[in-house]
Amino acid sequence: MRRSDIKWLQSAISLVVLAAALLTAPPAVAGTASFSINMAGQYFVVPVNISDSEGGTILYMAYLQPLTGSVDPFGQCQAILTSASPGTGQVDSPTATFTLANGMTITASIVYKFGLDPSQPSTVTGTITSGTGIFEDATGTFTATITPNMAAHTATSFPVTFTGSGILTAPKAPGGLSVL
């Protein structure tokens, strides 16, 4: 081979290696996406007969069980919302943790707005504070409604839907959130 052919071949190989490196190492670009929540679960009702902080009596407590469904566009997931401590109606730092099918999580601090009757819809507002994977250091907000289906209740439980929407920014999402 001639010297000029060797230099040309070396240049071509260098370009191929550079192109492969650029294609396989996506840049860390923040991604922002609107999302919708569409999940279902149930309240588990337990007789407690305890005094509350205001001198009244609580006969039953309704505990929200893990929710399943989807958070689109992120896909199928399970959500666990912390609930109030029996007898106090409060919890130190209520949270919602959404675990996606790929194992990544989105975590939010939440505020419940509900009355004394768990058979009525209640509002949950969330501030996204963290996550795992591409959701590490994620931020955002959501508003959702827990709607009981009293027509399908039993003596110890009743089904609920958890629906809402929000916006999330993931500063460590490679190529933005459209890659999910």
Side-chain angles (χ1 to χ4, degrees):
M1 268 185 139
R2 292 183 297 186
R3 185 173 263 258
S4 62
D5 290 338
I6 292 173
K7 287 198 181 266
W8 181 86
L9 186 57
Q10 287 174 337
S11 296
I13 291 171
S14 296
L15 286 174
V16 168
V17 169
L18 177 62
L22 290 174
L23 291 174
T24 59
V29 176
T32 298
S34 296
F35 62 91
S36 62
I37 302 166
N38 188 12
M39 306 185 87
Q42 69 175 349
Y43 275 121
F44 184 64
V45 181
V46 178
V48 291
N49 197 16
I50 58 176
S51 297
D52 68 11
S53 59
E54 297 176 7
T57 302
I58 299 172
L59 298 177
Y60 296 92
M61 292 291 291
Y63 296 94
L64 185 61
Q65 302 302 297
L67 301 159
T68 57
S70 65
V71 175
D72 294 324
F74 310 129
Q76 296 296 307
C77 75
Q78 180 182 44
I80 296 176
L81 282 64
T82 57
S83 59
S85 301
T88 67
Q90 299 177 7
V91 68
D92 289 338
S93 300
T95 60
T97 301
F98 298 89
T99 303
L100 302 176
N102 62 11
M104 290 186 221
T105 62
I106 301 168
T107 304
S109 61
I110 57 175
V111 175
Y112 288 100
K113 293 182 184 176
F114 58 93
L116 296 175
D117 186 353
S119 68
Q120 298 300 310
S122 58
T123 302
V124 177
T125 56
T127 300
I128 297 167
T129 57
S130 65
T132 61
I134 65 169
F135 298 109
E136 183 180 346
D137 298 327
T139 59
T141 60
F142 70 87
T143 301
T145 302
I146 298 173
T147 306
N149 177 356
M150 295 311 292
H153 81 283
T154 68
T156 59
S157 68
F158 49 93
V160 298
T161 58
F162 183 63
T163 56
S165 61
I167 190 161
L168 177 142
T169 299
K172 297 186 178 177
L177 290 174
S178 62
V179 298
L180 293 178

